[in-house]
Amino acid sequence: AQIEILKKRTETKDEAFEKARLVTHHSLVSRRDKTNSQTKKNGEDSAGDEQMDQTAPVASIDIESIQPIETDKPSNFYKRRLESTVKEIEEEKSKKNLSEKDPEVALQKFQRAKTDLDAKYHQIETVQVNIDLMIADVKQRQRTWRKFRSHIANMTNETFDQMLNKKGSSGEIAFDHSAKTLNLTVQKDNTDRNMSQTKDVKALSGGERSFVTLSLLLALGENLETPFRVMDEFDVFLDPMSRKIALETMIHVAKDLGHRQFIFITPQDLSNLQTDPMLKIFCMKNPDRNLQGPTQQTLEFES
């Protein structure tokens, strides 16, 4: 039994010497690297042939020829340093939540965390792709909307001029989409090139201004998809000729747009108009004049 104990102690001593020689080897290599680094900075040649190569495998190094460095400090000093270093390592592991000691369990946790991270990155990439597609779609919609807006403005301008031509006038609508305004230009006689154009509608007479306004409303309505159009007292300030032209124009436009319904309300006489299947005239009775005041009237629609 004593021989076995002595043998184990001898083996333990040999292992300790081997570890000490390896530590000495790494220490010498570290010192050599520091010396070479300083030598390169100072522009001197390095004596690499006389020192060991750090990249050389441990098996090719003559460990027996390396003698451990003698120290005058007791073993307890290095034991305390080792324990302090181990304690610092454990504290860093605790701060970084690396308390798992089983390598397989730690590897599984790492793989799960990496899988979750990759999934999150994939979600972020998917969201970014969708954002880019939506931005491109919005830009395309804006370009289409601008073209459509320009088309409506041009068609409204042409229709407005056609409405005024029925009375021998001409006009133009200038749309300012940035300022969100529109300006009217009217020429009373489109056959007289020397006649100045009027940009201020207020300078026109009451009947002319009403006809221009009516033409504008008809031009806007014809280029907008509105199923119902109601105009109230549109001919109050019109002279007889302008009123006749306005009525004929409105009725003609209403019949051309049979898929829409027009309602014209006027206090003027409409006895000169002939009704047809597309044109109905409803006339309200005159209110009764009495002391109690007028009573509300209703229209009797045909079923």
Side-chain angles (χ1 to χ4, degrees), residues 235 243 247 266-275 279 281-283:
D235 56 350
R243 181 173 180 271
L247 279 174
T266 175
Q268 305 293 335
D269 182 29
L270 298 176
S271 59
N272 60 334
L273 291 179
Q274 297 295 327
T275 60
L279 177 61
I281 300 176
F282 300 93
C283 183

Side-chain angles (χ1 to χ4, degrees), residues 146-208:
R146 291 190 185 96
K147 292 180 180 179
F148 184 66
R149 182 181 64 180
S150 178
H151 173 73
I152 291 179
N154 294 332
M155 294 299 296
T156 302
N157 184 33
E158 292 181 5
T159 306
F160 177 69
D161 185 61
Q162 292 174 3
M163 295 295 179
L164 292 180
N165 288 339
K166 295 180 180 296
K167 195 183 176 183
S169 303
S170 62
E172 182 181 2
I173 305 175
F175 291 88
D176 189 348
H177 300 296
S178 299
K180 298 180 180 181
T181 59
L182 60 86
N183 297 314
L184 301 179
T185 302
V186 178
Q187 184 174 346
K188 295 181 181 181
D189 188 359
N190 56 7
T191 60
D192 187 1
R193 297 182 179 180
N194 296 324
M195 179 175 290
S196 61
Q197 297 178 344
T198 303
K199 293 185 178 181
D200 186 6
V201 182
K202 295 180 180 180
L204 301 175
S205 63
E208 293 171 343

Side-chain angles (χ1 to χ4, degrees), residues 90-234:
E90 294 297 330
E91 289 178 353
E92 289 295 326
K93 287 183 178 181
S94 178
K95 290 179 181 179
K96 298 180 179 180
N97 196 18
L98 301 175
S99 59
E100 187 61 54
K101 296 182 179 179
D102 190 352
E104 295 183 359
V105 176
L107 178 61
Q108 293 176 0
K109 289 184 176 180
F110 167 75
Q111 291 176 346
R112 286 196 298 268
K114 187 176 184 301
T115 302
D116 294 339
L117 180 62
D118 293 339
K120 296 297 182 183
Y121 274 123
H122 179 69
Q123 291 178 1
I124 292 174
E125 292 176 356
T126 303
V127 171
Q128 186 62 45
V129 170
N130 292 334
I131 291 174
D132 295 338
L133 292 176
M134 292 177 66
I135 291 175
D137 182 66
V138 168
K139 291 182 178 179
Q140 180 61 35
R141 286 172 178 265
Q142 289 177 345
R143 288 192 292 267
T144 304
W145 171 73
R146 291 190 185 96
K147 292 180 180 179
F148 184 66
R149 182 181 64 180
S150 178
H151 173 73
I152 291 179
N154 294 332
M155 294 299 296
T156 302
N157 184 33
E158 292 181 5
T159 306
F160 177 69
D161 185 61
Q162 292 174 3
M163 295 295 179
L164 292 180
N165 288 339
K166 295 180 180 296
K167 195 183 176 183
S169 303
S170 62
E172 182 181 2
I173 305 175
F175 291 88
D176 189 348
H177 300 296
S178 299
K180 298 180 180 181
T181 59
L182 60 86
N183 297 314
L184 301 179
T185 302
V186 178
Q187 184 174 346
K188 295 181 181 181
D189 188 359
N190 56 7
T191 60
D192 187 1
R193 297 182 179 180
N194 296 324
M195 179 175 290
S196 61
Q197 297 178 344
T198 303
K199 293 185 178 181
D200 186 6
V201 182
K202 295 180 180 180
L204 301 175
S205 63
E208 293 171 343
R209 186 164 58 248
S210 299
F211 190 81
V212 169
T213 304
L214 181 62
S215 301
L216 174 63
L217 294 176
L218 289 174
L220 290 172
E222 188 170 351
N223 293 282
L224 298 176
E225 295 297 330
T226 53
F228 298 95
R229 299 184 200 169
V230 181
M231 293 186 181
D232 184 18
E233 297 186 356
F234 58 90

Side-chain angles (χ1 to χ4, degrees), residues 21-33 36 47-58 60-63 65-67:
R21 290 187 178 98
L22 289 174
V23 170
T24 304
H25 165 67
H26 290 300
S27 177
L28 292 173
V29 171
S30 177
R31 291 180 182 178
R32 184 204 63 183
D33 292 340
N36 290 341
D49 296 336
E50 297 178 358
Q51 297 181 355
M52 290 175 291
D53 187 5
Q54 185 183 9
T55 60
V58 177
S60 63
I61 300 174
D62 187 5
I63 301 296
S65 63
I66 302 176
Q67 296 298 326

Side-chain angles (χ1 to χ4, degrees), residues 64-80:
E64 299 295 335
S65 63
I66 302 176
Q67 296 298 326
I69 300 175
E70 298 291 337
T71 177
D72 55 351
K73 295 181 180 179
S75 60
N76 291 334
F77 171 77
Y78 295 102
K79 183 178 180 181
R80 289 194 298 270

